[in-house]
Amino acid sequence: MNWEDHAKRLLAQFRVTTNRFIGEQWFGNLVNDLKNNSSEFSQWWGDQEISGTPIGEKN
């Protein structure tokens, strides 16, 4: 797996685990900071992909 695929998967998992904080000011500030400091995050955040944590053995 390449870096970009891995990063996108982690971002999708981040979105799922932080869903309960959407609408809270501190979370909006965090997302804005990440968007301002990472062109990849800014681009991918808009994709709105979600993913659960994979089940199984980590290699």
Side-chain angles (χ1 to χ4, degrees):
M1 176 180 302
N2 67 33
W3 176 89
E4 186 173 316
D5 290 339
H6 185 68
K8 284 181 177 181
R9 190 176 77 229
L10 288 175
L11 180 55
Q13 291 173 355
F14 173 77
R15 183 182 291 282
V16 167
T17 59
T18 59
N19 184 43
R20 66 182 175 264
F21 303 120
I22 291 175
E24 294 193 27
Q25 183 175 354
W26 70 267
F27 184 72
N29 293 341
L30 173 64
V31 169
N32 287 332
D33 286 346
L34 291 168
K35 285 179 172 180
N36 290 331
N37 288 292
S38 169
S39 60
E40 293 90 354
F41 182 92
S42 183
Q43 178 184 352
W44 300 336
W45 185 253
D47 292 343
Q48 299 187 9
E49 291 189 27
I50 59 170
S51 175
T53 304
I55 298 174
E57 195 171 303
K58 187 174 186 177
N59 296 328

